[in-house]
Amino acid sequence: MTRKLGFISILLFIIYAVGMYYYIFHGNSGGIPDVLKGTVADPETFMTERELLLSEEYSKIKNFIFFVATPLEWVLYIFILLTGLSRIFEKWADFGVKWKVFKNGAYVFLLYLFTALAFYPLDFYRYYLSKNYGINTQNFSSWMRDYVIDFWINFGTTLIIVIVLYWLIQKSVKRWWIYAWLLTIPFAIFMMYIQPIVIDPLYNDFYPLKDKELEEKIISLAERANIPSDHVFEVNMAEKTNALNAYVTGIGENSRIVLWDTTLNSLTDEEILFIMAHEMGHYVEKHIYIGIALYIVSMLVGLWLIAKLMPWLISRFGTVLKINKMKDIHSLPLLLLIVSFLLFFSNPISNYISRYQETRADHYAMQLMNNPEAAVSTFQNLSKSGLSEVNPPLLVKLFRFSHPPMLERINKVAEFLEEEQ
């Protein structure tokens, strides 16, 4: 039965990977509708022939990696369970310490290290790919430094969650998911609060905007939007990437709007002000707080599903997966498998909500700025800098795009002008 389940898992993954390969590399791409060819939305009007070629190649490779990476993670978790590696890690973690919390912590470290090493070649290839296509400018030592920081931050977060989760399962097999959900609320808010001041500075330097003339323009724009302007920062990203970006982060007094220095160096003041107006739209419409509320609801649904699915899978396949009880720490790969599965298939929903919010922020920026030329040129420059697909295939849009494709964003400018006339 073990071999059969392993064989079926690998076979299904191969069939899926081949199917996705043909869909992405040989299927019908998004393309440009005939009615929009030659307009400002057509990448042929603002990208060179080489940029168009690189954009198509880079996007297809990235999309394929995305669609096979998560199912490959599922195969890895199944492998760890079927081969008994999870039970072996549990034995290695039992180094004579009586306190179970330390044994569980050691197990989590062994499992996390194993999975990190297993996926390192893919992570490195992503780095190599973005560097080869001129997106990433980071040298290997700097990338490895960030990779190690990522490892320890993610491990630390995972460790806290797993230790608390399995303690709750030990205390209440039936109601653990409710207690876990209640704890996720303050934990999520705490993480969002410390993100800008504790975690982000581990990777880059953040400082108030240096360009005082531009700062005055931003202050004036913020006053028109009734937004505090002392939370605008720039970050030194030029040593790591050629891409352009800006974002809103943090909550409460730690909330801030962050501009990459690549954005400041590459765009005109009017284009930067449009981006700032877009980020102000997120601020005004409370998208961060809406995001927290949606996260809380999704966690409730997700934990409830885990509480239903995991016991059923153990009762049905526990012998094959070498899991006796849900409360045993060696069941963690199964829990992670379910979480990964739920997250992957919830992507279309979360991305749809995100695209809606981004559209709202774009509309707010166009109303505040009333500068359609700046809006169009900003979207064009964002596409060029990241070699982005302006109109991706449907599955790619559903599963990958948290922002509307650039074709849609540029079209929204035209629709906005029609509304205003």
Side-chain angles (χ1 to χ4, degrees), residues 189-207:
I189 293 173
F190 172 74
M191 291 300 294
M192 292 188 71
Y193 185 79
I194 68 169
Q195 180 82 31
I197 58 172
V198 176
I199 298 176
D200 290 345
L202 294 175
Y203 298 90
N204 296 97
D205 297 323
F206 292 78
Y207 30 78

Side-chain angles (χ1 to χ4, degrees), residues 80-130:
I80 291 171
L81 290 168
L82 293 180
T83 59
L85 264 179
S86 186
R87 299 294 292 267
I88 293 172
F89 290 156
E90 187 179 33
K91 289 180 181 179
W92 288 354
D94 188 3
F95 48 90
V97 178
K98 293 183 179 180
W99 287 20
K100 197 163 188 176
V101 64
F102 290 109
K103 294 179 182 179
N104 287 353
Y107 170 89
V108 173
F109 176 75
L110 291 172
L111 178 64
Y112 197 86
L113 180 63
F114 179 82
T115 54
L117 291 174
F119 272 92
Y120 177 81
L122 186 59
D123 293 331
F124 175 78
Y125 179 71
R126 284 194 179 106
Y127 159 72
Y128 167 80
L129 184 70
S130 61

Side-chain angles (χ1 to χ4, degrees), residues 17 26 43-44 53 84 133 182 184 202-203 205 208 220 226 246 329 333 361:
H26 301 287
E44 290 190 4
L53 178 63
Y133 278 87
L182 291 173
T184 61
L202 294 175
Y203 298 90
D205 297 323
S220 176
N226 296 317
I329 192 66

